């Protein structure tokens, strides 16, 4: 008697040998032994293939298909057909009938899933076929659990921040593993090796459960609405949001044990009321329908998760504790890494905030705007910087630089060079001398500390600008009429090379013109070189200026945005620092300048000249204050000066007075004693002026003060 056997292939992405690749049955294929025909099928399967219900026949009676004893040509005995549905194979379907599709590896297959017909798109994503009641069925096989754990951990690992990881845990477990989940995390979450101070507090971070409308996709019609347990629908309203873990309490013991426990365990029965509150614990199902799983990171417990199944679903099994342990472990480690990543991002943001100016100054005669763009979100700070530094005489220093590299080390070097540039600017050194000292500073920091820098000084009174360059891209000047030109500035060598002289050039800076300083990230990328990028920038500025007409320069902030719009998808290879300066200048009619001989009559002459200038400007209300203050400052200057003293008045939004001499020592404010005959001049200046200061120059100093115009 011939013996025929049926070989079953497991669900896999590998296709068996000799199988037609176009067969729609995918992985659920059978390979019959050569010579076996349709009679080799079990009776039930054959009956289904013929469209008739499969029935078991008595031993020795012919089956529906005319087979031998028991309907089995191989003589397997009665009841063999359909007696083991787990190992039976579906019959070949006729053309046009439904055939099961291959199931991805990440979705567990439920027993008999291929016999329940097509599933909805929502259930296909969750990996479950709804039973007649509409609820998902739990996993029964070890292979199902392994596939579920693999898919869930991959979904959790995809998260980068805290919310993504917690959401990944919830979406991976509901409804495949549980009907509802509660996730509690420590508040605040500890970072790294720091030891939290104070009691351990858990805060409810997220809840998730099967909603009433399980699938709202167009075209999906659900015949029977899924029953929802009233208790699960009330979870979010009755569970406690905050929980303080009492030392030595039941919850602390469960968290210390790390292992997940069922809700009916003695430890969990005492810990759940402490975690969820009395009302929240009352709505959690009893017995093995809830699992309390501690979330332990690298060094400490950082929270807890509660997995819940409703009464219409079978209870958790012992192996489900292992699944909960894997989910809790992967989630806790991911949360630990997310917290560390957030701290690193916070440090990078703080470093950028402290290295770059928070706000730009508002010097007289010039308006400023700036932009900074990192190369990528993961590298939020680099070596690019910009700065605007007010100088004596209403001048302003404009600086832009780029340290080679994108690491934190480059940012630290950038901060040191920026601080050095601010200190050198305070000494009012010429631009070429500033670059020379920056070069020496870079060599002291290390042999490989290289940077490019452009340093410019704008004088609003003379309408001139002095520029020195150290290997940086040249600036672009946009004139009032709309013409944009690349300024011819000697390129120089980068900072850090050493032994190189820097050269400065002085150029006109007409009123209404805009100077654009930038780093090479704006004009250079993998898709274009520096020369073509600079030309594209010049054309962009000229085209933007044409939109506002020849008599009106474009708004400064909008101009910066238009410049950044020239960047394409492949142009963000480097950090970008941008500094734009609109030159307004100070009109000659608003400037009064005199030279006073260092004689005893100089204070009297200074009062007379100041009074005449204020009368010409219509500021007679300030005459008394200005005469008193000018007399005090000029008296201090001529007492020690050996060369003529300069006196200058500037009328802008404020009235500014500047007195310069050739003595480098700066005056200091001090409290004069009752018996002192002098020492009260600066005290009067400090009390009567809006602000005042003293700046050391290369050949002396300047003492200045400002008064608010009436």
């Amino acid at each position: 008697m011939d013996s025929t056997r049926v070989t079953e292939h497991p669900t896999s992405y590998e296709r068996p040998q000799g199988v037609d690749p176009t067969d729609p049955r995918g992985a659920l294929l059978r390979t019959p032994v050569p010579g076996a025909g349709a009679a080799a099928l079990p009776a039930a399967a054959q009956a289904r293939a013929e469209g008739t219900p499969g029935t078991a026949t008595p031993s020795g009676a012919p089956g529906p298909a005319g087979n031998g004893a028991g309907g089995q040509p191989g003589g397997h005995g009665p009841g063999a057909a359909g007696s083991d549905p787990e190992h039976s194979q579906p019959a070949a379907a006729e053309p046009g009938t439904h055939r099961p599709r291959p199931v991805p590896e990440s979705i567990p297959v439920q027993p008999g899933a291929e016999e329940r017909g097509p599933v909805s798109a929502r259930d296909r994503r969750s990996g479950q076929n709804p039973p007649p009641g509409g609820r998902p069925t739990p996993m029964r096989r070890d292979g199902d659990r392994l596939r579920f754990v693999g898919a869930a951990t991959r979904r959790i690992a995809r998260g980068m921040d805290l919310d993504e990881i917690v959401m990944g845990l919830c979406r991976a477990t509901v409804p495949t593993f549980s009907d509802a989940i509660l996730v509690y995390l420590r508040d605040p979450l500890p970072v790294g090796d720091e030891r939290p101070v104070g009691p351990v507090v858990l805060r409810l971070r997220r809840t998730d459960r099967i909603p009433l409308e399980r699938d709202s996709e167009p075209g999906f019609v659900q015949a029977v609405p899924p029953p929802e347990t009233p208790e699960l629908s009330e979870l979010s309203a009755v569970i406690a949001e905050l929980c303080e873990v009492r030392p030595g309490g039941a919850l602390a013991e469960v968290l210390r044990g790390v292992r997940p426990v069922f809700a009916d365990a003695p430890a969990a029965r005492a810990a759940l009321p402490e975690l969820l509150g009395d009302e929240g614990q009352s709505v959690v199902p009893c017995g093995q329908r809830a699992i309390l799983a501690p979330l332990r990171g690298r060094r400490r417990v950082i929270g807890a998760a509660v997995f819940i199944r409703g009464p219409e679903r079978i209870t958790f099994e012992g192996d489900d504790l292992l699944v909960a342990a894997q989910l809790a472990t992967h989630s806790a480690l991911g949360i630990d890494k997310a917290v560390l990543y957030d701290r690193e991002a916070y440090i990078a943001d703080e470093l950028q905030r402290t290295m770059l100016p928070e706000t730009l100054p508002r010097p007289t005669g010039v308006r400023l705007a700036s932009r900074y763009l990192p190369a990528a979100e993961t590298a939020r700070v680099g070596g690019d910087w910009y700065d605007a530094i007010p100088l004596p005489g209403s001048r302003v220093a404009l600086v832009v630089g780029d340290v080679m590299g994108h690491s934190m080390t480059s940012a630290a070097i950038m901060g040191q060079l920026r601080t050095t540039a601010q200190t050198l600017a305070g000494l009012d050194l010429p631009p070429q001398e500033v670059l020379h000292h920056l070069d020496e500073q870079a060599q002291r920091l290390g042999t490989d500390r290289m940077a490019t820098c452009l340093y410019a000084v704008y004088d609003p009174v003379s309408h001139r600008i002095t520029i020195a360059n150290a290997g940086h891209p040249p600036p672009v000047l946009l004139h009032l009429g709309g013409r944009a030109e690349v300024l011819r500035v000697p390129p120089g060598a980068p900072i850090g090379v050493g032994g190189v002289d820097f050269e400065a050039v002085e150029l006109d800076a007409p009123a209404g013109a805009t100077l654009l300083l930038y780093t090479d990230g704006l004009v250079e990328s993998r898709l274009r070189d520096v020369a073509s990028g600079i030309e594209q920038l010049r054309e962009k500025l000229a085209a933007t200026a044409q939109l506002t007409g020849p008599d009106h320069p474009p708004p400064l902030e909008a101009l910066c945005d238009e410049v950044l719009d020239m960047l394409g998808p492949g142009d963000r290879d480097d950090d970008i620092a941008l500094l734009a300066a609109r030159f307004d200048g100070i009109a000659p009619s608003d400037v009064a300048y005199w030279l006073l001989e260092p004689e005893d009559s100089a204070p009297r002459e200074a009062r007379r000249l100041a009074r005449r200038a204020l009368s010409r400007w219509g500021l007679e209300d300030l005459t008394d204050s200005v005469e008193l203050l000018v007399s005090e400052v000029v008296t201090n200057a001529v007492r020690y000066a050996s060369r003529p003293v300069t006196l200058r008045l500037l009328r802008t939004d404020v009235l500014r007075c500047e007195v310069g001499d050739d003595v480098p020592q700066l005056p200091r404010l001090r409290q004069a004693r009752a018996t002192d005959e002098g020492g009260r001049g600066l005290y009067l200046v400090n009390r009567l002026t809006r602000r005042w200061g003293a700046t050391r120059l290369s050949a002396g100093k300047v003492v200045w003060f400002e008064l608010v115009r009436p």
Side-chain angles (χ1 to χ4, degrees):
M1 187 165 51
D2 293 338
S3 174
T4 304
R5 59 188 176 89
V6 176
T7 303
E8 181 185 44
H9 291 270
T11 301
S12 172
Y13 286 115
E14 298 179 0
R15 182 177 293 109
Q17 297 293 334
V19 176
D20 184 4
T22 62
D23 196 320
R25 288 171 293 176
L28 298 176
L29 294 172
R30 54 186 175 83
T31 305
V33 176
L41 293 174
Q46 185 177 354
R48 285 195 302 270
E50 296 175 358
T52 59
T55 58
T57 58
S59 176
N67 295 329
Q72 303 288 337
H76 294 290
S83 62
D84 188 2
E86 183 176 350
H87 295 284
S88 64
Q89 296 295 328
E94 294 296 332
T97 60
H98 171 75
R99 295 186 180 98
R101 296 184 178 182
V103 182
E105 179 188 2
S106 60
I107 300 179
V109 181
Q110 300 302 322
E114 64 274 10
E115 298 182 6
R116 283 199 291 265
V119 296
S120 67
R122 177 96 175 180
D123 294 332
R124 186 174 293 116
R125 288 196 300 270
S126 63
Q128 300 290 338
N129 291 317
R135 304 292 291 181
T137 58
M139 297 169 289
R140 295 181 180 272
R141 302 177 182 178
D142 292 340
D144 294 343
R145 289 189 174 90
L146 290 177
R147 284 190 291 269
F148 166 71
V149 170
T153 52
R154 285 193 297 271
R155 185 166 191 170
I156 295 170
R158 284 197 298 263
M160 289 294 295
D161 58 17
L162 181 61
D163 292 332
E164 290 179 352
I165 294 173
V166 175
M167 182 181 294
L169 171 63
C170 295
R171 296 290 173 83
T173 54
V174 177
T176 307
F177 182 68
S178 63
D179 293 338
I181 183 175
L182 311 174
V183 181
Y184 281 84
L185 296 180
R186 293 184 64 165
D187 186 25
L189 278 168
V191 180
D193 297 332
E194 68 179 16
R195 295 182 177 274
V197 180
V200 177
V201 177
L202 301 182
R203 178 183 291 274
L204 181 63
R205 185 76 185 191
R206 185 178 178 86
T207 64
D208 205 352
R209 60 182 176 85
I210 301 177
L212 280 172
E213 298 296 336
R214 292 206 44 212
D215 204 320
S216 58
E217 295 182 359
F220 176 75
V221 179
Q222 192 166 17
V224 180
E228 173 149 354
T229 306
E231 290 81 0
L232 295 185
S233 64
E234 300 171 359
L235 272 177
S236 58
V238 298
I239 57 177
E241 184 178 357
L242 285 177
C243 165
E244 181 176 340
V245 181
R246 299 189 300 270
L251 180 58
E253 293 298 326
V254 173
L255 297 180
R256 187 179 297 111
V258 179
R259 297 179 181 275
V261 294
F262 288 121
D264 60 350
R269 284 200 300 267
L272 283 176
E274 183 179 349
L275 177 65
L276 308 178
D278 295 334
E279 295 184 3
Q281 192 272 339
S282 63
V283 298
V284 174
C286 302
Q288 294 187 359
R289 296 191 178 277
I291 296 178
L292 174 59
L295 302 177
R296 180 175 178 82
R298 294 173 57 249
R299 298 185 180 273
R300 59 182 67 85
V301 175
I302 60 175
V306 181
F307 304 95
I308 304 173
R309 284 184 180 176
E312 71 283 351
R313 194 170 180 176
I314 69 171
T315 61
F316 288 108
E317 301 175 359
D319 290 340
D320 291 329
L321 291 178
L322 301 178
V323 175
Q326 287 291 327
L327 297 177
T329 299
H330 282 273
S331 301
L333 293 177
I335 291 171
D336 250 0
K337 294 178 181 179
V339 172
L340 289 174
Y341 174 79
D342 290 342
R343 175 58 62 89
E344 293 294 332
Y346 172 77
I347 293 175
D349 289 340
E350 286 297 304
L351 182 61
Q352 175 186 355
R353 186 185 64 82
T354 55
M355 293 299 182
L356 298 176
E358 294 185 8
T359 58
L360 292 173
R362 297 182 178 179
T364 302
V366 61
R367 286 174 287 170
L368 302 172
S370 63
R371 295 291 187 274
Y372 177 83
L373 292 179
E377 287 295 329
T378 55
R380 305 188 183 188
V381 68
D384 294 14
W385 90 91
Y386 62 89
D387 213 341
I389 309 168
L391 299 177
S394 299
R395 297 171 300 155
V396 60
L398 307 174
V399 192
V400 65
D402 182 6
V403 178
M404 296 182 182
H406 303 283
S407 62
M408 288 292 183
T409 303
S410 302
I413 296 173
M414 176 266 286
Q416 297 180 68
L417 293 179
R418 177 173 177 249
T419 303
T420 304
Q422 289 179 330
T423 304
L424 296 172
L427 300 177
D428 199 27
L429 298 178
Q432 65 272 22
E433 290 296 325
V434 173
L435 295 183
H436 175 73
H437 288 291
L438 285 177
D439 180 62
E440 292 181 341
Q441 176 67 9
Q443 295 179 64
R444 285 191 291 268
L445 295 176
T447 57
D448 57 344
R449 308 310 189 198
M450 305 279 292
T452 63
C453 182
L454 191 143
Y455 189 94
V457 175
Y458 170 66
D459 189 346
V461 176
S462 63
H463 297 269
R464 304 281 289 179
I465 186 170
T466 305
I467 306 175
N469 191 6
H472 204 77
V476 180
L477 184 65
L478 177 62
H479 293 270
L480 183 59
R483 182 174 62 92
E485 64 169 331
V486 181
L487 298 182
R488 298 180 179 273
V489 180
I495 292 173
V497 174
V500 180
D501 291 333
F502 299 97
E503 183 180 354
V505 294
E506 188 174 353
L507 305 172
D508 289 331
T514 304
L515 183 68
L516 200 70
L517 308 179
Y518 53 91
T519 56
D520 57 355
L522 181 64
V523 295
E524 184 182 18
S525 67
R526 291 170 294 177
L527 305 179
R528 58 182 177 181
D529 56 10
V530 177
S532 59
I534 293 176
E535 179 62 21
Q536 183 178 353
L537 173 62
R538 189 192 66 80
E539 294 175 354
K540 183 68 173 180
L541 290 175
T544 304
Q546 295 298 328
L547 300 177
T548 58
D551 299 331
H552 299 85
L556 208 55
E557 297 291 340
L559 181 64
C560 292
D561 295 335
E562 288 293 331
V563 168
L564 294 180
D565 285 343
M566 64 179 278
L567 297 172
D571 294 340
R572 292 290 299 277
D573 300 332
D574 197 0
D575 302 340
I576 298 175
L578 179 66
L579 180 62
R582 173 72 45 77
F583 300 142
D584 294 332
I586 299 177
S589 58
D590 293 330
V591 180
Y593 181 81
W594 303 279
L595 284 176
L596 303 175
E597 294 296 329
E599 301 173 351
D600 295 340
S601 60
R604 182 176 66 253
E605 182 67 14
R607 291 193 297 268
R608 185 184 65 83
L609 296 174
R611 182 168 58 251
R612 188 174 62 183
L614 294 177
S615 177
R616 185 173 68 251
W617 290 336
L619 300 177
E620 290 85 356
D621 294 342
L622 299 177
T623 300
D624 294 340
S625 299
V626 171
E627 286 187 7
L628 175 61
L629 298 176
V630 166
S631 179
E632 292 293 337
V633 176
V634 171
T635 299
N636 291 336
V638 301
R639 180 176 300 176
Y640 306 103
S642 58
R643 296 180 181 180
V645 176
T646 62
L647 173 62
R648 185 166 71 171
L649 295 180
L650 302 175
R651 184 186 63 169
T652 58
D653 53 342
V654 297
L655 180 66
R656 182 183 177 97
C657 177
E658 300 173 351
V659 177
D661 57 61
D662 60 344
V663 181
Q665 286 79 16
L666 299 180
R668 300 299 180 193
L669 181 64
R670 61 185 180 88
Q671 187 68 35
R673 293 174 296 182
T675 57
D676 291 342
E677 295 183 358
R680 297 175 178 83
L682 290 181
Y683 179 77
L684 293 175
V685 173
N686 184 61
R687 292 299 300 269
L688 297 179
T689 61
R690 174 175 174 262
R691 60 174 185 159
W692 72 281
T695 305
R696 183 179 286 109
L697 305 178
S698 57
K701 67 175 181 296
V702 169
V703 179
W704 57 269
F705 61 85
E706 293 177 354
L707 294 173
V708 179
R709 293 175 52 180

